[in-house]
Structures are given as structure tokens and as C-alpha cells.
Amino acid sequence: MRLRHLAIALVAGLTTWPAVAVGEEGRGTIERLYVIECGQGHANDVSRWSPGVNEGKPIDYVSNCYLIKHPQGYLMWETGVGDELAAVPEGRGSFTRWRLARTLASQLEELGLKAADIKYVAASHTHFDHIGNVELFPNAMLLVQKAEYEWPNPLGVGRFKPEHPVTKLEGDHDVFRDGSVTLLSTPGHTPGHQSILVRLAKSGPILISGDAAHFKENWDARRVPSFNVDRDKTLASMDRIAGILAQQKAQLWIHHDKPQSDAQKKSPAYYD
Ligand SMILES: [Zn+2]
């Protein structure tokens, strides 16, 4: 016990971030975590995410959705590319060509769920491959960082429909108030980027990155994509995540990493 507290103090001492508000009082767990395939991407030059490294090298990557089942309700983490892309077999996009093999709606249906069964929706940030299906859930409470919500899109208008119910967050958020699901403020890729930490009874704690890092190689080398809005904050967020992984003894799931995704079981199978 004393050792554990010492470790936490050491980790806390390495960072200027407030200690994450999970793990000490809250010891709740979620019931199930489903990994749902929500987009298949191909880019011709991976160095966009690693300036000066791997120039001209193509990459296949993924954008999954994650359905969290908690006794108080379902939370959808990330919503992938929009379901309408399933009707476009050749895919769409310039830098990355995105395709969608199966819609999110059909995969929820396979679980016996309707969009109305989802209580909360949270995405790591507002790039289109993460919020493509937000409006599948028009009545679900959006959990979004205020800085992301208020970040205007290139046309100067908001990124969410003003009528969509929303809770604007300013920092970490313990969704069910039992420590089982915590949104973590990890800005840098975008102004209000967030990651998520979930606790499972058998699988233990899992931290899902969002785009705090894009691929395992880039995480290991702490590479910052050229188009991130803030390089220093990106590096600080990666440090923060590393500290939380150590403090919580959590696994890191890197959102876009295809080899890692390929090794994960997919819905209707689940982690518990
Ligand atoms: Zn992304």
C-alpha cells in the first residue's frame, strides 16, 4: 500500500498536471467494452503524422468506435466516419481515402440496440473520422471539452448542431461518478482533445488514446503530426498519458493503430 502511494507521488511529481481524479475513491467497473469497426483508411504518405520520418510510405489505418456498457447506461466513445460512406464502395477523401465496410447503426442493431439506447456520446475530438455519426444519436448527451466545442470549423461555425444536448467540460470528467469511466483532458492535436480511461473487472484499466498519438511507432518516439494545433501541449499530453498508464497500470489502446486493432476482438464479442 505504501509503495503504491509512493509510486503515485512520484508520478505526480513528474508532471504539472493535477492528479487524475480516478483510482483512489472510485473503484467502479464497466460491464462490457465493445470494439466496433467504424472506418478503414488508406493514406499514401504516413509522414504527415511523423514529419521527416517514413516519408512517402503508405499506411492502412482504422477508426474504431467503442461501446461502453455501464449499469447506468451506454456510452459511445468515438463515432467513426459517417455511416453514409458504406454506400460508397470506392471510398472518399483526398489525403486519406476512407471506406466503411459496415455501418455503426447495423452493428448496434446486431447487439439488439437502437441509437436511442445510447445515453452519452463522447468523441476524442471533432475531426470527421471521429464525429461522423454524432447525429445518429441526436438525444444522447454529448460530453465534449468546452475548448473543442467552441473551436470554430474552417467556415467559422460550430462543429456540433446547436440543438444537440451537450455538457461542456473543462478538464477531466468522471462520467458515472464511480471511477469506471473517466474522460481525460489531453489537448494538443486539437484545442479540446480528450482521451478516455475505462476500468473492467477482468481486463483491468484501458486508456484509449484518441489522436493523442496516431500509431504505436509514433507514440514510442513521441512524434507530433505537422497539423496538430499545439506541439508543446501534444507532448505534455503524451507525458500525462504515460504517467497515468504507470499510475493506473493501464493498457494503452492507440485509436488509429491497425495492427493493434487487428489483434482485438470485435463486436459482438466484448471485453469485460
Ligand atoms: Zn483521427
Side-chain angles (χ1 to χ4, degrees), residues 24-59:
E24 289 309 291
E25 306 81 23
R27 282 283 165 187
T29 53
I30 61 169
E31 294 176 343
R32 295 179 179 186
L33 173 63
Y34 294 92
V35 182
I36 300 176
E37 292 174 303
C38 276
Q40 297 80 40
H42 177 84
N44 290 325
D45 185 355
V46 69
S47 72
R48 186 177 195 225
W49 295 278
S50 52
V53 180
N54 293 327
E55 282 178 0
K57 204 175 141 189
I59 190 164

PDB file of all heavy atoms in Angstrom, residues 24-59:
ATOM      1  N   GLU A  24      -8.572   6.405  -6.686  1.00  0.00           N
ATOM      2  CA  GLU A  24      -8.398   6.382  -5.235  1.00  0.00           C
ATOM      3  C   GLU A  24      -9.734   6.123  -4.536  1.00  0.00           C
ATOM      4  O   GLU A  24      -9.873   5.145  -3.834  1.00  0.00           O
ATOM      5  CB  GLU A  24      -7.770   7.690  -4.764  1.00  0.00           C
ATOM      6  CG  GLU A  24      -6.311   7.784  -5.171  1.00  0.00           C
ATOM      7  CD  GLU A  24      -5.508   6.535  -4.774  1.00  0.00           C
ATOM      8  OE1 GLU A  24      -5.297   6.334  -3.571  1.00  0.00           O
ATOM      9  OE2 GLU A  24      -5.108   5.764  -5.662  1.00  0.00           O
ATOM     10  N   GLU A  25     -10.726   6.965  -4.817  1.00  0.00           N
ATOM     11  CA  GLU A  25     -12.033   6.726  -4.212  1.00  0.00           C
ATOM     12  C   GLU A  25     -12.852   5.791  -5.096  1.00  0.00           C
ATOM     13  O   GLU A  25     -13.440   4.827  -4.647  1.00  0.00           O
ATOM     14  CB  GLU A  25     -12.811   8.036  -4.041  1.00  0.00           C
ATOM     15  CG  GLU A  25     -12.069   9.110  -3.278  1.00  0.00           C
ATOM     16  CD  GLU A  25     -11.074   9.868  -4.151  1.00  0.00           C
ATOM     17  OE1 GLU A  25     -11.253   9.877  -5.381  1.00  0.00           O
ATOM     18  OE2 GLU A  25     -10.119  10.420  -3.593  1.00  0.00           O
ATOM     19  N   GLY A  26     -12.864   6.132  -6.399  1.00  0.00           N
ATOM     20  CA  GLY A  26     -13.720   5.386  -7.316  1.00  0.00           C
ATOM     21  C   GLY A  26     -13.069   4.095  -7.760  1.00  0.00           C
ATOM     22  O   GLY A  26     -11.974   4.095  -8.299  1.00  0.00           O
ATOM     23  N   ARG A  27     -13.740   2.999  -7.552  1.00  0.00           N
ATOM     24  CA  ARG A  27     -13.217   1.713  -7.992  1.00  0.00           C
ATOM     25  C   ARG A  27     -14.281   0.961  -8.777  1.00  0.00           C
ATOM     26  O   ARG A  27     -14.320  -0.252  -8.769  1.00  0.00           O
ATOM     27  CB  ARG A  27     -12.738   0.884  -6.793  1.00  0.00           C
ATOM     28  CG  ARG A  27     -11.380   1.335  -6.274  1.00  0.00           C
ATOM     29  CD  ARG A  27     -10.259   0.851  -7.174  1.00  0.00           C
ATOM     30  NE  ARG A  27      -9.012   1.552  -6.898  1.00  0.00           N
ATOM     31  CZ  ARG A  27      -7.915   1.417  -7.643  1.00  0.00           C
ATOM     32  NH1 ARG A  27      -7.919   0.639  -8.699  1.00  0.00           N
ATOM     33  NH2 ARG A  27      -6.823   2.077  -7.348  1.00  0.00           N
ATOM     34  N   GLY A  28     -15.156   1.693  -9.402  1.00  0.00           N
ATOM     35  CA  GLY A  28     -16.208   1.051 -10.184  1.00  0.00           C
ATOM     36  C   GLY A  28     -15.645   0.456 -11.462  1.00  0.00           C
ATOM     37  O   GLY A  28     -14.550   0.805 -11.894  1.00  0.00           O
ATOM     38  N   THR A  29     -16.397  -0.455 -12.040  1.00  0.00           N
ATOM     39  CA  THR A  29     -16.009  -1.035 -13.329  1.00  0.00           C
ATOM     40  C   THR A  29     -17.201  -0.985 -14.269  1.00  0.00           C
ATOM     41  O   THR A  29     -18.365  -0.982 -13.831  1.00  0.00           O
ATOM     42  CB  THR A  29     -15.551  -2.507 -13.199  1.00  0.00           C
ATOM     43  OG1 THR A  29     -16.563  -3.250 -12.516  1.00  0.00           O
ATOM     44  CG2 THR A  29     -14.241  -2.612 -12.442  1.00  0.00           C
ATOM     45  N   ILE A  30     -16.878  -0.961 -15.562  1.00  0.00           N
ATOM     46  CA  ILE A  30     -17.950  -1.075 -16.544  1.00  0.00           C
ATOM     47  C   ILE A  30     -18.252  -2.555 -16.754  1.00  0.00           C
ATOM     48  O   ILE A  30     -17.476  -3.426 -16.351  1.00  0.00           O
ATOM     49  CB  ILE A  30     -17.578  -0.399 -17.883  1.00  0.00           C
ATOM     50  CG1 ILE A  30     -16.341  -1.043 -18.516  1.00  0.00           C
ATOM     51  CG2 ILE A  30     -17.343   1.091 -17.658  1.00  0.00           C
ATOM     52  CD1 ILE A  30     -16.087  -0.599 -19.949  1.00  0.00           C
ATOM     53  N   GLU A  31     -19.386  -2.836 -17.388  1.00  0.00           N
ATOM     54  CA  GLU A  31     -19.763  -4.245 -17.595  1.00  0.00           C
ATOM     55  C   GLU A  31     -19.134  -4.824 -18.858  1.00  0.00           C
ATOM     56  O   GLU A  31     -18.682  -5.962 -18.876  1.00  0.00           O
ATOM     57  CB  GLU A  31     -21.285  -4.358 -17.677  1.00  0.00           C
ATOM     58  CG  GLU A  31     -21.945  -3.999 -16.357  1.00  0.00           C
ATOM     59  CD  GLU A  31     -23.464  -4.006 -16.419  1.00  0.00           C
ATOM     60  OE1 GLU A  31     -24.038  -3.976 -17.532  1.00  0.00           O
ATOM     61  OE2 GLU A  31     -24.088  -4.029 -15.349  1.00  0.00           O
ATOM     62  N   ARG A  32     -19.149  -4.030 -19.921  1.00  0.00           N
ATOM     63  CA  ARG A  32     -18.635  -4.527 -21.196  1.00  0.00           C
ATOM     64  C   ARG A  32     -18.031  -3.393 -22.011  1.00  0.00           C
ATOM     65  O   ARG A  32     -18.493  -2.256 -21.934  1.00  0.00           O
ATOM     66  CB  ARG A  32     -19.764  -5.138 -22.048  1.00  0.00           C
ATOM     67  CG  ARG A  32     -20.370  -6.373 -21.445  1.00  0.00           C
ATOM     68  CD  ARG A  32     -21.486  -6.903 -22.330  1.00  0.00           C
ATOM     69  NE  ARG A  32     -22.045  -8.108 -21.757  1.00  0.00           N
ATOM     70  CZ  ARG A  32     -22.964  -8.873 -22.350  1.00  0.00           C
ATOM     71  NH1 ARG A  32     -23.445  -8.528 -23.539  1.00  0.00           N
ATOM     72  NH2 ARG A  32     -23.400  -9.967 -21.763  1.00  0.00           N
ATOM     73  N   LEU A  33     -17.038  -3.745 -22.813  1.00  0.00           N
ATOM     74  CA  LEU A  33     -16.451  -2.818 -23.782  1.00  0.00           C
ATOM     75  C   LEU A  33     -16.436  -3.511 -25.144  1.00  0.00           C
ATOM     76  O   LEU A  33     -15.787  -4.549 -25.314  1.00  0.00           O
ATOM     77  CB  LEU A  33     -15.021  -2.448 -23.360  1.00  0.00           C
ATOM     78  CG  LEU A  33     -14.198  -1.609 -24.347  1.00  0.00           C
ATOM     79  CD1 LEU A  33     -14.829  -0.240 -24.582  1.00  0.00           C
ATOM     80  CD2 LEU A  33     -12.758  -1.446 -23.847  1.00  0.00           C
ATOM     81  N   TYR A  34     -17.187  -2.951 -26.080  1.00  0.00           N
ATOM     82  CA  TYR A  34     -17.241  -3.498 -27.437  1.00  0.00           C
ATOM     83  C   TYR A  34     -16.368  -2.647 -28.351  1.00  0.00           C
ATOM     84  O   TYR A  34     -16.453  -1.405 -28.307  1.00  0.00           O
ATOM     85  CB  TYR A  34     -18.664  -3.419 -28.000  1.00  0.00           C
ATOM     86  CG  TYR A  34     -19.699  -4.268 -27.304  1.00  0.00           C
ATOM     87  CD1 TYR A  34     -20.456  -3.752 -26.253  1.00  0.00           C
ATOM     88  CD2 TYR A  34     -19.954  -5.568 -27.733  1.00  0.00           C
ATOM     89  CE1 TYR A  34     -21.441  -4.516 -25.635  1.00  0.00           C
ATOM     90  CE2 TYR A  34     -20.943  -6.342 -27.117  1.00  0.00           C
ATOM     91  CZ  TYR A  34     -21.677  -5.810 -26.070  1.00  0.00           C
ATOM     92  OH  TYR A  34     -22.658  -6.556 -25.467  1.00  0.00           O
ATOM     93  N   VAL A  35     -15.570  -3.283 -29.195  1.00  0.00           N
ATOM     94  CA  VAL A  35     -14.811  -2.579 -30.240  1.00  0.00           C
ATOM     95  C   VAL A  35     -15.571  -2.775 -31.550  1.00  0.00           C
ATOM     96  O   VAL A  35     -15.782  -3.905 -31.986  1.00  0.00           O
ATOM     97  CB  VAL A  35     -13.380  -3.143 -30.369  1.00  0.00           C
ATOM     98  CG1 VAL A  35     -12.602  -2.360 -31.433  1.00  0.00           C
ATOM     99  CG2 VAL A  35     -12.656  -3.101 -29.032  1.00  0.00           C
ATOM    100  N   ILE A  36     -16.000  -1.666 -32.137  1.00  0.00           N
ATOM    101  CA  ILE A  36     -16.838  -1.703 -33.337  1.00  0.00           C
ATOM    102  C   ILE A  36     -16.068  -1.055 -34.489  1.00  0.00           C
ATOM    103  O   ILE A  36     -15.559   0.066 -34.347  1.00  0.00           O
ATOM    104  CB  ILE A  36     -18.160  -0.941 -33.084  1.00  0.00           C
ATOM    105  CG1 ILE A  36     -18.923  -1.606 -31.927  1.00  0.00           C
ATOM    106  CG2 ILE A  36     -19.015  -0.889 -34.352  1.00  0.00           C
ATOM    107  CD1 ILE A  36     -20.203  -0.877 -31.523  1.00  0.00           C
ATOM    108  N   GLU A  37     -15.991  -1.734 -35.612  1.00  0.00           N
ATOM    109  CA  GLU A  37     -15.249  -1.179 -36.756  1.00  0.00           C
ATOM    110  C   GLU A  37     -16.043  -0.050 -37.392  1.00  0.00           C
ATOM    111  O   GLU A  37     -17.193  -0.227 -37.787  1.00  0.00           O
ATOM    112  CB  GLU A  37     -14.947  -2.292 -37.756  1.00  0.00           C
ATOM    113  CG  GLU A  37     -13.947  -3.282 -37.165  1.00  0.00           C
ATOM    114  CD  GLU A  37     -13.697  -4.494 -38.045  1.00  0.00           C
ATOM    115  OE1 GLU A  37     -14.655  -5.204 -38.371  1.00  0.00           O
ATOM    116  OE2 GLU A  37     -12.537  -4.728 -38.388  1.00  0.00           O
ATOM    117  N   CYS A  38     -15.425   1.126 -37.452  1.00  0.00           N
ATOM    118  CA  CYS A  38     -16.145   2.332 -37.892  1.00  0.00           C
ATOM    119  C   CYS A  38     -15.405   3.097 -38.983  1.00  0.00           C
ATOM    120  O   CYS A  38     -15.660   4.286 -39.181  1.00  0.00           O
ATOM    121  CB  CYS A  38     -16.368   3.255 -36.696  1.00  0.00           C
ATOM    122  SG  CYS A  38     -17.822   2.839 -35.736  1.00  0.00           S
ATOM    123  N   GLY A  39     -14.491   2.443 -39.692  1.00  0.00           N
ATOM    124  CA  GLY A  39     -13.807   3.124 -40.796  1.00  0.00           C
ATOM    125  C   GLY A  39     -12.475   2.466 -41.099  1.00  0.00           C
ATOM    126  O   GLY A  39     -11.754   2.047 -40.188  1.00  0.00           O
ATOM    127  N   GLN A  40     -12.173   2.348 -42.411  1.00  0.00           N
ATOM    128  CA  GLN A  40     -10.913   1.787 -42.863  1.00  0.00           C
ATOM    129  C   GLN A  40     -10.257   2.835 -43.766  1.00  0.00           C
ATOM    130  O   GLN A  40     -10.842   3.235 -44.776  1.00  0.00           O
ATOM    131  CB  GLN A  40     -11.141   0.481 -43.654  1.00  0.00           C
ATOM    132  CG  GLN A  40     -11.789  -0.644 -42.816  1.00  0.00           C
ATOM    133  CD  GLN A  40     -13.303  -0.519 -42.658  1.00  0.00           C
ATOM    134  OE1 GLN A  40     -13.997  -0.155 -43.601  1.00  0.00           O
ATOM    135  NE2 GLN A  40     -13.812  -0.810 -41.462  1.00  0.00           N
ATOM    136  N   GLY A  41      -9.071   3.288 -43.382  1.00  0.00           N
ATOM    137  CA  GLY A  41      -8.414   4.367 -44.109  1.00  0.00           C
ATOM    138  C   GLY A  41      -7.134   3.916 -44.791  1.00  0.00           C
ATOM    139  O   GLY A  41      -6.459   2.989 -44.328  1.00  0.00           O
ATOM    140  N   HIS A  42      -6.832   4.588 -45.913  1.00  0.00           N
ATOM    141  CA  HIS A  42      -5.543   4.357 -46.574  1.00  0.00           C
ATOM    142  C   HIS A  42      -4.945   5.714 -46.943  1.00  0.00           C
ATOM    143  O   HIS A  42      -5.604   6.524 -47.595  1.00  0.00           O
ATOM    144  CB  HIS A  42      -5.712   3.501 -47.835  1.00  0.00           C
ATOM    145  CG  HIS A  42      -4.411   3.309 -48.566  1.00  0.00           C
ATOM    146  ND1 HIS A  42      -3.504   2.324 -48.206  1.00  0.00           N
ATOM    147  CD2 HIS A  42      -3.840   3.992 -49.585  1.00  0.00           C
ATOM    148  CE1 HIS A  42      -2.436   2.411 -49.000  1.00  0.00           C
ATOM    149  NE2 HIS A  42      -2.616   3.421 -49.848  1.00  0.00           N
ATOM    150  N   ALA A  43      -3.719   5.958 -46.509  1.00  0.00           N
ATOM    151  CA  ALA A  43      -3.024   7.211 -46.853  1.00  0.00           C
ATOM    152  C   ALA A  43      -1.738   6.872 -47.600  1.00  0.00           C
ATOM    153  O   ALA A  43      -1.112   5.838 -47.336  1.00  0.00           O
ATOM    154  CB  ALA A  43      -2.699   7.995 -45.589  1.00  0.00           C
ATOM    155  N   ASN A  44      -1.348   7.743 -48.517  1.00  0.00           N
ATOM    156  CA  ASN A  44      -0.166   7.479 -49.347  1.00  0.00           C
ATOM    157  C   ASN A  44       1.131   7.881 -48.672  1.00  0.00           C
ATOM    158  O   ASN A  44       2.190   7.459 -49.106  1.00  0.00           O
ATOM    159  CB  ASN A  44      -0.278   8.234 -50.680  1.00  0.00           C
ATOM    160  CG  ASN A  44      -1.371   7.629 -51.544  1.00  0.00           C
ATOM    161  OD1 ASN A  44      -1.576   6.420 -51.530  1.00  0.00           O
ATOM    162  ND2 ASN A  44      -2.089   8.480 -52.266  1.00  0.00           N
ATOM    163  N   ASP A  45       1.056   8.710 -47.643  1.00  0.00           N
ATOM    164  CA  ASP A  45       2.290   9.208 -47.028  1.00  0.00           C
ATOM    165  C   ASP A  45       2.100   9.355 -45.522  1.00  0.00           C
ATOM    166  O   ASP A  45       1.504  10.316 -45.047  1.00  0.00           O
ATOM    167  CB  ASP A  45       2.668  10.552 -47.663  1.00  0.00           C
ATOM    168  CG  ASP A  45       4.014  11.064 -47.162  1.00  0.00           C
ATOM    169  OD1 ASP A  45       4.607  10.424 -46.255  1.00  0.00           O
ATOM    170  OD2 ASP A  45       4.466  12.101 -47.664  1.00  0.00           O
ATOM    171  N   VAL A  46       2.626   8.398 -44.796  1.00  0.00           N
ATOM    172  CA  VAL A  46       2.424   8.370 -43.339  1.00  0.00           C
ATOM    173  C   VAL A  46       3.193   9.495 -42.632  1.00  0.00           C
ATOM    174  O   VAL A  46       2.936   9.798 -41.461  1.00  0.00           O
ATOM    175  CB  VAL A  46       2.810   6.981 -42.772  1.00  0.00           C
ATOM    176  CG1 VAL A  46       4.308   6.758 -42.852  1.00  0.00           C
ATOM    177  CG2 VAL A  46       2.309   6.800 -41.348  1.00  0.00           C
ATOM    178  N   SER A  47       4.121  10.160 -43.346  1.00  0.00           N
ATOM    179  CA  SER A  47       4.941  11.180 -42.675  1.00  0.00           C
ATOM    180  C   SER A  47       4.141  12.427 -42.293  1.00  0.00           C
ATOM    181  O   SER A  47       4.642  13.289 -41.577  1.00  0.00           O
ATOM    182  CB  SER A  47       6.143  11.578 -43.534  1.00  0.00           C
ATOM    183  OG  SER A  47       5.740  12.341 -44.650  1.00  0.00           O
ATOM    184  N   ARG A  48       2.905  12.500 -42.755  1.00  0.00           N
ATOM    185  CA  ARG A  48       2.039  13.581 -42.285  1.00  0.00           C
ATOM    186  C   ARG A  48       1.921  13.547 -40.753  1.00  0.00           C
ATOM    187  O   ARG A  48       1.743  14.570 -40.107  1.00  0.00           O
ATOM    188  CB  ARG A  48       0.660  13.387 -42.917  1.00  0.00           C
ATOM    189  CG  ARG A  48      -0.285  14.514 -42.619  1.00  0.00           C
ATOM    190  CD  ARG A  48      -1.596  14.284 -43.346  1.00  0.00           C
ATOM    191  NE  ARG A  48      -2.370  15.507 -43.369  1.00  0.00           N
ATOM    192  CZ  ARG A  48      -3.668  15.558 -43.091  1.00  0.00           C
ATOM    193  NH1 ARG A  48      -4.329  14.476 -42.776  1.00  0.00           N
ATOM    194  NH2 ARG A  48      -4.308  16.692 -43.129  1.00  0.00           N
ATOM    195  N   TRP A  49       2.010  12.336 -40.219  1.00  0.00           N
ATOM    196  CA  TRP A  49       1.897  12.161 -38.761  1.00  0.00           C
ATOM    197  C   TRP A  49       3.266  12.045 -38.092  1.00  0.00           C
ATOM    198  O   TRP A  49       3.345  11.868 -36.884  1.00  0.00           O
ATOM    199  CB  TRP A  49       1.060  10.910 -38.453  1.00  0.00           C
ATOM    200  CG  TRP A  49      -0.358  11.031 -38.892  1.00  0.00           C
ATOM    201  CD1 TRP A  49      -1.372  11.645 -38.215  1.00  0.00           C
ATOM    202  CD2 TRP A  49      -0.929  10.565 -40.129  1.00  0.00           C
ATOM    203  NE1 TRP A  49      -2.529  11.574 -38.950  1.00  0.00           N
ATOM    204  CE2 TRP A  49      -2.293  10.922 -40.128  1.00  0.00           C
ATOM    205  CE3 TRP A  49      -0.412   9.873 -41.234  1.00  0.00           C
ATOM    206  CZ2 TRP A  49      -3.158  10.619 -41.181  1.00  0.00           C
ATOM    207  CZ3 TRP A  49      -1.272   9.566 -42.284  1.00  0.00           C
ATOM    208  CH2 TRP A  49      -2.623   9.933 -42.248  1.00  0.00           C
ATOM    209  N   SER A  50       4.321  12.082 -38.904  1.00  0.00           N
ATOM    210  CA  SER A  50       5.680  11.936 -38.346  1.00  0.00           C
ATOM    211  C   SER A  50       6.629  12.722 -39.244  1.00  0.00           C
ATOM    212  O   SER A  50       7.357  12.142 -40.043  1.00  0.00           O
ATOM    213  CB  SER A  50       6.086  10.461 -38.302  1.00  0.00           C
ATOM    214  OG  SER A  50       5.897   9.839 -39.580  1.00  0.00           O
ATOM    215  N   PRO A  51       6.602  14.069 -39.139  1.00  0.00           N
ATOM    216  CA  PRO A  51       7.375  14.910 -40.056  1.00  0.00           C
ATOM    217  C   PRO A  51       8.831  14.465 -40.178  1.00  0.00           C
ATOM    218  O   PRO A  51       9.517  14.269 -39.179  1.00  0.00           O
ATOM    219  CB  PRO A  51       7.283  16.306 -39.414  1.00  0.00           C
ATOM    220  CG  PRO A  51       6.025  16.263 -38.613  1.00  0.00           C
ATOM    221  CD  PRO A  51       5.883  14.846 -38.132  1.00  0.00           C
ATOM    222  N   GLY A  52       9.282  14.251 -41.424  1.00  0.00           N
ATOM    223  CA  GLY A  52      10.666  13.859 -41.675  1.00  0.00           C
ATOM    224  C   GLY A  52      10.941  12.371 -41.539  1.00  0.00           C
ATOM    225  O   GLY A  52      12.027  11.907 -41.838  1.00  0.00           O
ATOM    226  N   VAL A  53       9.967  11.624 -41.066  1.00  0.00           N
ATOM    227  CA  VAL A  53      10.172  10.187 -40.835  1.00  0.00           C
ATOM    228  C   VAL A  53       9.163   9.395 -41.668  1.00  0.00           C
ATOM    229  O   VAL A  53       7.981   9.738 -41.725  1.00  0.00           O
ATOM    230  CB  VAL A  53       9.978   9.847 -39.334  1.00  0.00           C
ATOM    231  CG1 VAL A  53      10.196   8.359 -39.086  1.00  0.00           C
ATOM    232  CG2 VAL A  53      10.904  10.676 -38.471  1.00  0.00           C
ATOM    233  N   ASN A  54       9.634   8.345 -42.298  1.00  0.00           N
ATOM    234  CA  ASN A  54       8.789   7.474 -43.134  1.00  0.00           C
ATOM    235  C   ASN A  54       8.140   8.232 -44.303  1.00  0.00           C
ATOM    236  O   ASN A  54       6.990   7.947 -44.673  1.00  0.00           O
ATOM    237  CB  ASN A  54       7.687   6.793 -42.292  1.00  0.00           C
ATOM    238  CG  ASN A  54       8.256   5.806 -41.296  1.00  0.00           C
ATOM    239  OD1 ASN A  54       9.279   5.170 -41.562  1.00  0.00           O
ATOM    240  ND2 ASN A  54       7.608   5.678 -40.154  1.00  0.00           N
ATOM    241  N   GLU A  55       8.885   9.153 -44.886  1.00  0.00           N
ATOM    242  CA  GLU A  55       8.331   9.946 -45.992  1.00  0.00           C
ATOM    243  C   GLU A  55       7.983   9.066 -47.192  1.00  0.00           C
ATOM    244  O   GLU A  55       8.754   8.198 -47.577  1.00  0.00           O
ATOM    245  CB  GLU A  55       9.318  11.045 -46.400  1.00  0.00           C
ATOM    246  CG  GLU A  55       9.282  12.207 -45.422  1.00  0.00           C
ATOM    247  CD  GLU A  55      10.290  13.302 -45.752  1.00  0.00           C
ATOM    248  OE1 GLU A  55      11.012  13.173 -46.739  1.00  0.00           O
ATOM    249  OE2 GLU A  55      10.332  14.285 -44.982  1.00  0.00           O
ATOM    250  N   GLY A  56       6.811   9.304 -47.742  1.00  0.00           N
ATOM    251  CA  GLY A  56       6.370   8.582 -48.932  1.00  0.00           C
ATOM    252  C   GLY A  56       5.888   7.163 -48.667  1.00  0.00           C
ATOM    253  O   GLY A  56       5.533   6.434 -49.589  1.00  0.00           O
ATOM    254  N   LYS A  57       5.864   6.786 -47.408  1.00  0.00           N
ATOM    255  CA  LYS A  57       5.441   5.422 -47.068  1.00  0.00           C
ATOM    256  C   LYS A  57       3.924   5.375 -46.873  1.00  0.00           C
ATOM    257  O   LYS A  57       3.378   6.160 -46.095  1.00  0.00           O
ATOM    258  CB  LYS A  57       6.155   5.021 -45.769  1.00  0.00           C
ATOM    259  CG  LYS A  57       6.302   3.535 -45.563  1.00  0.00           C
ATOM    260  CD  LYS A  57       7.127   3.271 -44.306  1.00  0.00           C
ATOM    261  CE  LYS A  57       6.551   2.077 -43.560  1.00  0.00           C
ATOM    262  NZ  LYS A  57       7.147   1.883 -42.248  1.00  0.00           N
ATOM    263  N   PRO A  58       3.227   4.486 -47.581  1.00  0.00           N
ATOM    264  CA  PRO A  58       1.776   4.403 -47.413  1.00  0.00           C
ATOM    265  C   PRO A  58       1.404   3.695 -46.101  1.00  0.00           C
ATOM    266  O   PRO A  58       2.230   2.987 -45.521  1.00  0.00           O
ATOM    267  CB  PRO A  58       1.315   3.577 -48.617  1.00  0.00           C
ATOM    268  CG  PRO A  58       2.496   2.752 -48.986  1.00  0.00           C
ATOM    269  CD  PRO A  58       3.727   3.518 -48.576  1.00  0.00           C
ATOM    270  N   ILE A  59       0.171   3.884 -45.668  1.00  0.00           N
ATOM    271  CA  ILE A  59      -0.281   3.193 -44.444  1.00  0.00           C
ATOM    272  C   ILE A  59      -1.782   2.924 -44.509  1.00  0.00           C
ATOM    273  O   ILE A  59      -2.551   3.721 -45.055  1.00  0.00           O
ATOM    274  CB  ILE A  59       0.061   4.018 -43.174  1.00  0.00           C
ATOM    275  CG1 ILE A  59      -0.192   3.173 -41.919  1.00  0.00           C
ATOM    276  CG2 ILE A  59      -0.713   5.341 -43.141  1.00  0.00           C
ATOM    277  CD1 ILE A  59       0.443   3.698 -40.657  1.00  0.00           C
TER     278      ILE A  59
END
